[in-house]
Amino acid sequence: MNRLTETFATVKPILGMLHLAGDGPAAKLAQAEQEARIMAGEGVDGLVVENYFGEADDVERVLERLSGLDLGARLGVNVLRDDARAFELAGRYPVAFIQMDSVAGHLAPEADIVFAADLAARRAGVAALLLGGVRFKYQPVLSGRPEEEDVRIGAARCDGLVVTSDATGQPTDMEKVARFRAATGGRVPLLIGAGLTEANAVEQLAQADGAVVGSWFKHDHKDSGRVEAAHVAGLMRAVRLARSAA
């Protein structure tokens, strides 16, 4: 048992992204609620409210709306470029988990010392699970450390590592997942952070402990599309197969 399985009460939880697309705050809020209802209705375990197409204020509006609904999925937050706001929101809303794109490796050593102290202080102030990236898509590698060391440091700073290859929608390199598993000695949950599909879910979840899914749930499987129930249902069928084999 670890904090990931304690939080979601299931093996290999699936976290769906709410990217906050829409023309203006009202439209973003309405689309986020619609997409949240679709994903939760098909059995997605967690909903990540992220300012991918929106702003931090849009994230708060969506959290406030979803907090008043009984959807059955745990709420999460990822405020891009503003980690402090993510923790602040997690302290004011029923947020079960926070996702951060990078918790180690993205800063030079001097800046990393400050970052680590700030992160530890913020984590002490909230009960939410922290899922973090190391050498995550689009993040720089400035630590000067070997990958294995960055992974170990990142694992010590959070409750689970989210692993990606180089781009949104690109299948995650399973050799990279294996390297992260070896570096952490299997002590920290690893989640697929990009590229999980109906076709590869059983294979990838055999090696990972869960996944964050965005593009696959959407029209044409592109990040700019709307979530479609058929895509969510199809992937969740494959996830149930992966769980039964675990």
Side-chain angles (χ1 to χ4, degrees):
M1 183 71 71
N2 53 55
R3 287 201 69 200
L4 183 72
T5 52
E6 288 174 354
T7 298
F8 293 101
T10 188
V11 296
K12 305 187 186 299
I14 301 301
L15 316 180
M17 300 298 301
L18 295 172
H19 283 145
L20 306 192
D23 187 12
K28 292 179 188 296
L29 182 60
Q31 183 171 333
E33 180 178 342
Q34 180 187 47
E35 294 182 340
R37 288 183 180 277
I38 290 171
M39 287 191 279
E42 296 294 345
V44 170
D45 304 287
L47 303 169
V48 188
V49 185
E50 181 184 85
N51 55 326
Y52 189 90
F53 291 117
E55 304 295 335
D57 287 346
D58 296 310
V59 172
E60 180 162 6
R61 279 187 284 270
V62 172
L63 284 175
E64 183 175 18
R65 172 68 61 83
L66 297 185
S67 296
L69 305 176
D70 185 17
L71 297 181
R74 308 303 299 272
L75 291 180
V77 63
N78 184 4
V79 183
L80 302 172
R81 301 171 296 278
D82 194 346
D83 298 334
R85 184 73 181 274
F87 280 90
E88 184 261 326
L89 292 172
R92 293 197 293 111
Y93 294 93
V95 169
F97 63 100
I98 298 167
Q99 183 184 350
M100 290 176 57
D101 284 2
S102 189
V103 293
H106 62 298
L107 296 171
E110 298 80 5
D112 187 64
I113 294 171
V114 177
F115 171 84
D118 287 346
L119 179 59
R122 290 183 181 125
R123 287 200 71 195
V126 300
L129 187 80
L130 178 61
L131 305 176
V134 175
R135 307 208 174 192
F136 199 80
K137 58 185 178 180
Y138 309 123
Q139 294 292 312
V141 179
L142 302 175
S143 66
R145 298 185 292 253
E147 178 188 85
E148 182 179 4
E149 187 176 354
D150 279 340
V151 172
R152 286 199 299 267
I153 290 171
R157 293 175 179 174
C158 59
D159 301 293
L161 292 175
V162 183
V163 190
T164 72
S165 288
D166 298 325
T168 296
Q170 182 182 106
T172 298
D173 180 1
M174 299 312 292
E175 290 185 4
K176 185 177 183 182
V177 174
R179 294 197 307 271
F180 278 36
R181 185 78 73 191
T184 60
R187 292 183 295 274
V188 178
L190 302 179
L191 291 87
I192 301 297
L196 194 79
T197 72
E198 188 174 343
N200 68 22
V202 172
E203 177 186 0
Q204 295 210 347
L205 289 174
Q207 300 183 54
D209 303 299
V212 181
V213 182
S215 301
W216 185 258
F217 284 160
K218 299 187 177 188
H219 178 70
D220 290 339
H221 306 303
K222 294 181 179 178
D223 57 5
S224 56
R226 283 179 173 265
V227 169
E228 294 191 359
H231 294 171
V232 183
L235 180 63
M236 293 309 295
R237 282 194 295 270
V239 169
R240 287 190 287 274
L241 287 175
R243 287 171 175 166
S244 67

